């Protein structure tokens, strides 16, 4: 038996902003972000976990489910929206099995989609629509470690000067995790991997023991880490930072030679919602007349040109197996070389957006299943591990001081602060300072109605601080929605403040506001002190 030369920490970051709009005549197509993620990523990953467990294959995966996403997964209204969504897709797939009878291969694919949608519905209903109940058993069995993030995925380095923002983001992130997942989180995914010096004190105050950063977050530390990103570093208070391995990331993420670009894989951008006659697909779009993706895609990547050929599932699965084998073989070589240099097992940290697996890369969940099977049956050089576990398995860990860093373009937060989105921070800071003052002013308040107003002000503020709105403005997709959410949360906060200042609280309007943005039911005014 070969000695273990390395540990693979596979980290999947699952996040969506809080999008919940009950009671509107026109549906918000942004609610489909959650529906698509459930259909294409979360349920396929649950299937993989079930398959591995059924076949006796040990696996260890770390996932972050952000408080906004966790809250949406347990929300009855949004569960109902997914039921409507999947039943609509089943109806569309049934129509497709009739429409495609002229083409045997298309008909075969349409039946596969119908079966896939029906099995998704059945798995969703196994726990009454609450997918957290499907994941918790894997936590209990030691196969899955779930961690949290700041409450609304706020980018903490930008708020270094306003400690109340950092405290309220971290505190509500931990509290929400405890309420939904039934335990305290050991680690945290700092939003956008954003670290700044001093945040370790706030992390320690909330009980977090580890977090993740991009490669340069570790390699630019002082003193320079002896083992680079291939061992965690301690940053104070016994808190560990795990740096991203660039080599394993490149194999999956690279736009030029990453696995998801293989010509045999399903083409994301060819969907019948855009390809077929509008009059045919329109009744199934539920999108105010806008063409959107349905999830039914009949073509493979084929090549770099616009010409596409039919998707061949068997070819894609063959590619998936080869890529899992290649990924593992490269990790083995990497671990063996690093072991020869460092004289201790390498810790290879591979973090990805969870939605890459299934949503963007349709075959991604199957890749994960193949990878763990090959890791178990074909070798003993690299083993899967959880973050804190490896701190006990390697002999030496260095203490360092880290500088500010993030992931994303240029690696220092430029994506979330630039000419497209800088205007939002004036609102965020003004309202955050106001909320801090109000928390002090009403720290002894006992009036339940005033407390409701203050807590809803806190919810609106946290939602305003989400990094998603700045990101959307930078990328240029759905910008109107991001601008609208920024303005709405700002205006609602000011409306609530005015009621509080005037001493005339309209309980009916307050209840209406609470019913839409009902996140963080256990928020406290003291979170903003």
């Amino acid at each position: 038996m070969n000695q273990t030369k390395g540990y693979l920490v596979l980290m999947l970051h699952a996040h969506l902003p809080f999008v919940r709009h009950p009671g509107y005549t026109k549906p918000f197509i942004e609610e489909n972000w959650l529906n698509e993620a459930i259909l294409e990523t979360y349920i396929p990953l649950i299937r993989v976990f079930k398959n591995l467990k059924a076949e006796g294959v040990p696996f260890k995966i770390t996932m972050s489910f952000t408080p906004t996403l966790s809250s949406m997964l347990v929300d009855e209204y949004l569960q109902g929206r997914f039921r409507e969504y999947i039943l609509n897709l089943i109806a569309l797939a049934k129509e497709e099995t009739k429409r495609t009878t002229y083409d045997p291969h298309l008909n075969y694919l349409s039946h596969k989609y119908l079966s896939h949608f029906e099995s998704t519905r059945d798995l969703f209903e196994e726990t009454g629509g609450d997918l957290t109940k499907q994941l918790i058993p894997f936590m209990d069995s030691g196969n899955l470690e779930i961690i949290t993030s700041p409450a609304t995925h706020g980018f903490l380095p930008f708020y270094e000067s306003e400690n109340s923002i950092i405290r309220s983001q971290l505190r509500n992130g931990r509290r929400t995790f405890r309420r939904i997942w039934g335990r305290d989180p050991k680690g945290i995914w700092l939003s956008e991997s954003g670290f700044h010096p001093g945040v370790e004190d706030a992390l320690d105050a909330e009980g977090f023991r580890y977090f993740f950063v991009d490669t340069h977050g570790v390699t630019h530390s002082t003193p320079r880490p002896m083992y680079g990103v291939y061992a965690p570093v301690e940053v104070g208070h016994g808190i560990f930072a795990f740096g991203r391995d660039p080599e394993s990331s490149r194999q999956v993420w690279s736009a030029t030679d990453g696995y998801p670009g293989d010509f045999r894989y399903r083409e994301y951008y060819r969907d019948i919602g855009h390809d077929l006659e509008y009059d045919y697909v329109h009744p199934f779009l539920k999108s105010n007349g806008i063409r959107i993706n349905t999830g039914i895609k009949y073509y493979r990547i084929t090549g770099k040109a616009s010409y596409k050929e039919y998707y061949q599932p068997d070819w894609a699965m063959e590619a998936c197996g080869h890529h899992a084998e290649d990924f593992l073989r490269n990790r083995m070589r990497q671990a063996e070389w690093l072991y020869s240099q460092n004289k201790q097992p390498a810790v290879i940290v591979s973090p990805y957006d969870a939605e890459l697996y299934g949503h963007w890369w349709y075959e991604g969940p199957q890749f994960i299943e193949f990878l763990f099977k090959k890791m178990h049956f074909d070798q003993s050089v690299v083993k899967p591990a959880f973050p804190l576990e490896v701190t006990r398995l390697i002999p030496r860990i260095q203490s360092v001081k880290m500088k500010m860093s993030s992931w994303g373009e240029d690696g220092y937060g430029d994506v979330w602060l630039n000419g497209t989105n800088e205007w939002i921070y004036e609102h965020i800071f003004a309202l955050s300072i106001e909320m801090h003052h109000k928390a002090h002013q009403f720290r002894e308040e006992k009036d339940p109605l005033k407390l409701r107003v203050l807590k809803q002000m806190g919810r609106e503020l946290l939602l305003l601080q989400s990094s998603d709105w700045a990101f959307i403005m930078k990328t240029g997709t759905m910008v109107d929605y991001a601008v609208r959410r920024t303005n709405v949360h700002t205006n609602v906060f000011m409306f609530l403040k005015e009621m509080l200042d005037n001493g005339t609280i309209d309980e009916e309007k307050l209840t209406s506001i609470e019913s839409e943005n009902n996140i963080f039911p256990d928020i406290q005014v003291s979170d903003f002190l």
Side-chain angles (χ1 to χ4, degrees):
M1 181 76 67
N2 293 327
Q3 181 179 358
T4 300
K5 303 293 179 63
Y7 297 99
L8 177 66
V9 177
L10 180 62
M11 167 69 206
L12 304 181
H13 174 51
H15 166 63
L16 286 172
F18 189 73
V19 177
R20 181 182 184 277
H21 300 291
Y24 288 81
T25 304
K26 292 183 178 181
F28 280 75
I29 61 173
E30 291 81 7
E31 287 185 340
N32 274 343
W33 294 346
L34 177 62
N35 294 332
E36 290 176 351
I38 291 173
L39 170 68
E40 298 174 348
T41 294
Y42 310 146
I43 284 182
L45 286 174
I46 289 171
R47 284 196 190 98
V48 166
F49 300 161
K50 287 176 177 286
N51 291 344
L52 292 171
K53 198 73 174 173
E55 296 181 33
V57 177
F59 66 97
K60 292 182 179 180
I61 296 177
T62 304
M63 293 188 72
S64 60
F65 277 84
T66 60
T68 49
L69 175 56
S70 298
S71 298
M72 291 192 292
L73 289 177
V74 300
D75 185 89
E76 290 185 1
Y77 163 75
L78 292 173
Q79 290 168 2
R81 294 292 289 164
F82 181 79
R83 287 188 181 93
E84 296 172 12
Y85 173 81
I86 195 65
L87 289 175
N88 181 63
L89 288 186
I90 289 171
L92 175 57
K94 287 179 178 177
E95 287 301 312
E96 280 295 282
T97 63
K98 302 172 187 175
R99 186 190 69 84
T100 58
T101 52
Y102 70 94
D103 186 316
H105 190 73
L106 282 185
N107 194 245
Y108 155 73
L109 290 176
S110 69
H111 279 279
K112 281 188 71 70
Y113 278 116
L114 176 58
S115 175
H116 172 61
F117 296 153
E118 289 176 337
S119 67
T120 295
R121 174 201 58 199
D122 294 343
L123 192 149
F124 181 76
E125 295 297 354
E126 283 183 12
T127 48
D130 184 351
L131 293 184
T132 67
K133 293 179 180 177
Q134 303 233 21
L135 291 163
I136 287 173
F138 296 109
M139 300 173 71
D140 294 338
S141 65
N143 298 112
L144 182 64
E145 180 162 314
I146 296 180
I147 62 175
T148 190
S149 82
T152 57
H153 216 250
F155 187 71
L156 300 188
F158 289 168
Y159 306 127
E160 182 179 5
S161 64
E162 188 55 46
N163 289 331
S164 67
I165 298 179
I166 295 173
R167 279 196 303 271
S168 58
Q169 282 280 340
L170 294 179
R171 191 166 297 171
N172 282 283
R174 175 183 55 78
R175 187 185 292 133
T176 300
F177 188 94
R178 177 76 187 182
R179 174 171 49 82
I180 293 175
W181 299 99
R183 65 208 75 194
D184 287 319
K186 298 175 184 177
I188 186 168
W189 179 272
L190 293 176
S191 315
E192 321 300 356
S193 294
F195 174 87
H196 68 275
V199 77
E200 66 273 14
D201 298 332
L203 294 176
D204 180 58
E206 294 301 326
F208 296 111
R209 303 320 325 152
Y210 69 87
F211 59 93
F212 297 86
V213 290
D214 207 344
T215 309
H216 61 288
V218 169
T219 58
H220 291 183
S221 299
T222 304
R224 189 168 183 174
M226 180 181 299
Y227 309 112
V229 294
Y230 300 107
V233 292
E234 192 269 343
V235 298
H237 308 292
I239 298 173
F240 301 97
F242 289 79
R244 178 179 64 88
D245 165 45
E247 185 177 331
S248 61
S249 294
R250 178 189 57 78
Q251 285 188 268
V252 176
W253 275 120
S254 172
T256 55
D257 55 4
Y259 298 141
D262 188 285
F263 294 166
R264 293 166 287 183
Y265 288 141
R266 191 182 77 161
E267 173 59 73
Y268 174 81
Y269 294 101
R270 288 293 301 273
D271 188 284
I272 68 169
H274 299 277
D275 286 352
L276 297 185
E277 289 291 332
Y278 180 74
D279 288 343
Y280 172 74
V281 296
H282 171 250
F284 301 97
L285 296 180
K286 313 293 185 184
S287 60
N288 300 330
I290 301 172
R291 283 186 179 270
I292 60 173
N293 285 344
T294 65
I296 299 179
K297 306 173 195 289
Y298 290 138
Y299 294 92
R300 60 186 179 90
I301 294 172
T302 310
K304 295 183 179 179
S306 60
Y307 170 74
K308 303 298 176 184
E309 295 180 352
Y310 286 162
Y311 179 59
Q312 305 283 346
D314 291 343
W315 297 3
M317 286 302 99
E318 181 182 28
C320 208
H322 289 161
H323 287 146
E325 183 177 359
D326 181 70
F327 184 90
L328 178 57
R329 183 169 57 248
N330 280 282
R331 300 293 74 71
M332 292 167 63
R333 290 172 179 167
Q334 190 179 15
E336 287 172 337
W337 187 86
L338 288 165
Y339 188 89
S340 71
Q341 300 298 306
N342 298 333
K343 311 307 178 190
Q344 72 175 27
V347 180
I348 301 169
V349 179
S350 300
Y352 308 97
D353 281 336
E355 285 73 22
L356 170 66
Y357 292 89
H359 178 63
W360 297 107
W361 180 18
Y362 185 62
E363 299 80 6
Q366 189 63 57
F367 169 86
I368 291 176
E369 182 174 338
F370 285 158
L371 175 62
F372 280 102
K373 287 178 178 178
K374 291 176 181 294
M375 199 180 304
H376 175 59
F377 291 114
D378 296 350
Q379 57 85 53
S380 58
V381 175
V382 177
K383 292 183 178 179
F386 294 133
L388 282 187
E389 180 184 11
V390 301
T391 65
R392 301 187 296 271
L393 293 173
I394 59 176
R396 291 163 290 186
I397 295 177
Q398 195 170 352
S399 294
V400 302
K401 295 294 183 182
M402 296 204 314
K403 302 176 177 66
M404 182 268 176
S405 67
S406 75
W407 71 354
E409 183 181 352
D410 297 329
Y412 293 98
D414 294 1
V415 171
W416 299 277
L417 179 57
N418 54 72
T420 69
N421 53 36
E422 59 186 0
W423 63 274
I424 71 176
Y425 293 100
E426 180 180 357
H427 299 294
I428 291 174
F429 274 98
L431 270 56
S432 298
I433 292 169
E434 181 62 38
M435 187 68 202
H436 181 58
H437 290 162
K438 283 287 186 281
H440 278 280
Q441 180 183 348
F442 291 93
R443 64 190 307 168
E444 303 298 333
E445 184 61 56
K446 303 298 182 184
D447 184 337
L449 198 56
K450 290 181 179 179
L451 288 174
R452 282 175 58 191
V453 174
L454 286 161
K455 290 178 180 181
Q456 192 61 36
M457 288 171 65
R459 294 184 186 101
E460 302 296 332
L461 178 59
L462 289 173
L463 290 167
L464 174 64
Q465 294 165 356
S466 167
S467 69
D468 298 280
W469 315 136
F471 178 80
I472 291 171
M473 292 174 199
K474 174 63 168 66
T475 58
T477 59
M478 311 295 283
V479 172
D480 289 347
Y481 182 75
V483 170
R484 177 177 180 175
R485 287 293 298 268
T486 300
N487 289 332
V488 165
H489 293 307
T490 299
N491 291 335
V492 171
F493 180 97
M494 296 304 296
F495 174 75
L496 294 167
K497 173 184 174 295
E498 185 177 356
M499 285 202 301
L500 197 64
D501 290 343
N502 293 340
T504 54
I505 298 173
D506 187 327
E507 188 170 2
E508 183 178 349
K509 290 183 178 179
L510 173 60
T511 299
S512 176
I513 294 169
E514 289 172 327
S515 68
E516 181 163 0
N517 291 329
N518 64 346
I519 196 170
F520 310 130
D522 39 15
I523 195 172
Q524 300 297 319
V525 177
S526 59
D527 296 339
F528 300 90
L529 289 172

